[in-house]
Amino acid sequence: HHADGANELLVAIWICLGVAGAVIVLLAYQVRRHFFEPLAHLYNWALGMCDGNLSSRIPPEQPGRFAKLTFHINRLSEALEKLANEMDETVWQQTRRLHQRNKSLEILFEVASAINATSNLTELLNRSAETIMPIVNATGCVLRLREDGGDIYVLGTESMQQISAEM
């Protein structure tokens, strides 16, 4: 009678250990799925963002409370990526504008240099035409001068072929 009670106690202990083991395995799975995996995704996202990968996102199918956090982090990532793209576009436009302004200043400098280097109006206009034609992609031009009385004089014509032949 005493041995049967000990066997029953031993069976009950093994059943309790089996149930406890199953609970521990299930608990470990749940902790991994609901805590460690989302934390690993968050860590990988942060590494990607720090490396400059602004298209880095967290997979949206996160469980529990991480789903809402994931949603907001991904929206923040999208906003940051959009802002960076807009900033790149603005910088590109400003760079292009500065390049055009520098080109205009170069033209003005060349025309001002021509004014100092020429002795008459016809030569000045011809040098100015030579400077401006390549910039505006012109293959030729006609230089005309209107006097105060309304008379128009053709001072000369220039073409890229004439300029090339003279060089």
Side-chain angles (χ1 to χ4, degrees):
H1 183 70
H2 193 279
D4 288 338
N7 283 339
E8 287 177 9
L9 182 61
L10 189 59
V11 169
I13 290 174
W14 279 110
I15 290 174
C16 286
L17 285 174
V19 170
V23 168
I24 289 173
V25 167
L26 182 63
L27 185 61
Y29 170 76
Q30 291 296 326
V31 167
R32 180 173 178 245
R33 182 172 182 268
H34 290 279
F35 184 72
F36 289 118
E37 284 179 6
L39 201 57
H41 288 301
L42 181 63
Y43 179 75
N44 290 332
W45 167 82
L47 286 178
M49 293 299 271
C50 288
D51 286 341
N53 180 7
L54 298 182
S55 63
S56 182
R57 302 289 186 273
I58 298 175
E61 62 278 346
Q62 297 302 312
R65 295 186 181 251
F66 280 101
K68 196 170 193 176
L69 179 62
T70 297
F71 174 80
H72 290 294
I73 287 174
N74 285 340
R75 295 306 77 73
L76 179 64
S77 297
E78 289 169 6
L80 183 60
E81 185 177 23
K82 181 182 175 188
L83 182 63
N85 290 338
E86 288 172 356
M87 184 180 67
D88 287 345
E89 177 66 23
T90 301
V91 167
W92 183 81
Q93 288 175 354
Q94 292 296 334
T95 301
R96 192 177 80 227
R97 191 173 305 141
L98 284 173
H99 179 71
Q100 289 171 344
R101 287 188 178 163
N102 283 343
K103 199 69 171 163
S104 297
L105 287 173
E106 287 174 17
I107 293 168
L108 287 174
F109 178 76
E110 287 183 32
V111 170
S113 294
I115 290 171
N116 290 330
T118 58
S119 58
N120 64 47
L121 182 60
T122 303
E123 187 180 343
L124 172 63
L125 292 174
N126 284 331
R127 281 192 176 199
S128 297
E130 288 173 14
T131 301
I132 294 172
M133 281 181 11
I135 295 165
V136 295
N137 295 324
T139 57
C141 70
V142 175
L143 304 172
R144 296 183 285 179
L145 181 63
R146 183 182 299 249
E147 298 263 327
D148 288 336
D151 295 333
I152 298 176
Y153 297 97
V154 176
L155 298 176
T157 59
E158 292 286 331
S159 71
M160 289 308 285
Q161 291 84 13
Q162 287 175 338
I163 293 171
S164 296
E166 292 172 2
M167 291 183 170

